[in-house]
Amino acid sequence: ILNVEQSPQSLHVQEGDSTNFTCSFPSSNFYALHWYRWETAKSPEALFVMTLNGDEKKKGRISATLNTKEGYSYLYIKGSQPEDSATYLCAPRGGNQFYFGTGTSLTVIP
Amino acid sequence: DAGVIQSPRHEVTEMGQEVTLRCKPISGHDYLFWYRQTMMRGLELLIYFNNNVPIDDSGMPEDRFSAKMPNASFSTLKIQPSEPRDSAVYFCAIQTAASYGYTFGSGTRLTVV
């Protein structure tokens, strides 16, 4: 079982601010890491799949980095918008199983 | 979510009753997962199947929970008897061996009163 920690648990930012959150996981037995965006009452939406140490992925205003040696990934949101409000989950993969953190709940205040 | 259909979307039941949640994968898959999501514990893996065979059910909370996958197009998660602490959103998800990601169903919101 992988111990996944996400921080902070919740975050409130003003519209236009940039923000970032952290996902920490054991660096051993790492295979891949997913970031999901989860809006209330909807299914999780896959944002990024990251596999290599040093990976950087970008999708619009959202980007992510991966450090498999030290066991962390950062998710960045540039110029937050109210529609970015959601829970952001990271899911590192060990073997054939994904483990989910409890997420970072982001609220963007207009 | 075109890949996975779950039913019902919402279920309200009385404590002690049997509850059956259903999952129908539409697209091809090799793995099928049942997850439970609560505010306190986040997303928890309950059980997963590989080619319809249960592989790991260590996440199933207790004997009141059982899951079956009689064929590649259908799986059920049963709770008998249900308890208020079982209230949660239950997700079914599929994965193919060739890809990394999941396709999630829209979930079943279970409320046990």
Side-chain angles (χ1 to χ4, degrees):
Chain A
I1 295 177
L2 291 183
N3 187 25
V4 183
E5 294 186 2
Q6 289 190 246
S7 63
Q9 285 193 342
S10 66
L11 192 58
H12 290 72
V13 301
Q14 292 290 330
E15 182 177 354
D17 287 352
S18 295
T19 187
N20 65 85
F21 354 111
T22 306
C23 172
S24 301
F25 53 89
S27 55
S28 60
N29 198 33
F30 175 85
Y31 189 77
L33 182 138
H34 278 237
W35 278 100
Y36 288 87
R37 179 174 177 277
W38 197 347
E39 291 184 70
T40 303
K42 295 184 179 179
S43 300
E45 170 199 355
L47 288 175
F48 304 115
V49 181
M50 309 180 81
T51 55
L52 299 176
N53 184 45
D55 257 358
E56 292 188 27
K57 297 282 178 99
K58 187 173 181 181
K59 185 177 183 179
R61 295 178 291 99
I62 304 177
S63 60
T65 61
L66 177 66
N67 184 322
T68 61
K69 293 183 178 179
E70 296 183 34
Y72 65 83
S73 177
Y74 293 139
L75 188 79
Y76 301 90
I77 302 179
K78 184 178 179 182
S80 303
Q81 299 296 310
E83 58 264 31
D84 296 330
S85 297
T87 296
Y88 291 82
L89 292 172
C90 79
R93 178 175 175 179
N96 192 44
Q97 196 158 333
F98 286 82
Y99 299 92
F100 287 80
T102 53
T104 292
S105 175
L106 173 68
T107 303
V108 181
I109 304 165
Chain B
D1 294 312
V4 182
I5 296 176
Q6 288 187 248
S7 62
R9 290 295 299 272
H10 303 277
E11 176 81 27
V12 180
T13 190
E14 291 185 346
M15 182 174 63
Q17 296 297 308
E18 177 180 295
V19 176
T20 300
L21 312 180
R22 298 172 178 80
C23 174
K24 294 181 67 175
I26 302 300
S27 50
H29 64 281
D30 299 294
Y31 299 92
L32 184 140
F33 303 79
W34 280 100
Y35 284 92
R36 174 172 69 176
Q37 193 248 352
T38 63
M39 290 299 292
M40 292 300 294
R41 295 187 298 272
L43 200 60
E44 301 173 283
L45 176 64
L46 299 177
I47 184 172
Y48 76 93
F49 297 83
N50 179 206
N51 295 326
N52 313 337
V53 176
I55 302 300
D56 183 355
D57 65 353
S58 59
M60 297 284 259
E62 48 199 90
D63 292 343
R64 296 184 298 106
F65 284 69
S66 61
K68 294 182 180 179
M69 191 165 184
N71 57 64
S73 301
F74 188 63
S75 177
T76 58
L77 179 69
K78 185 177 292 187
I79 308 173
Q80 165 64 18
S82 58
E83 297 182 3
R85 60 192 169 124
D86 301 330
S87 298
V89 180
Y90 290 81
F91 284 96
C92 175
I94 59 173
Q95 185 192 29
T96 61
S99 73
Y100 292 110
Y102 286 122
T103 300
F104 278 83
S106 53
T108 295
R109 181 174 294 278
L110 173 66
T111 303
V112 183
V113 298

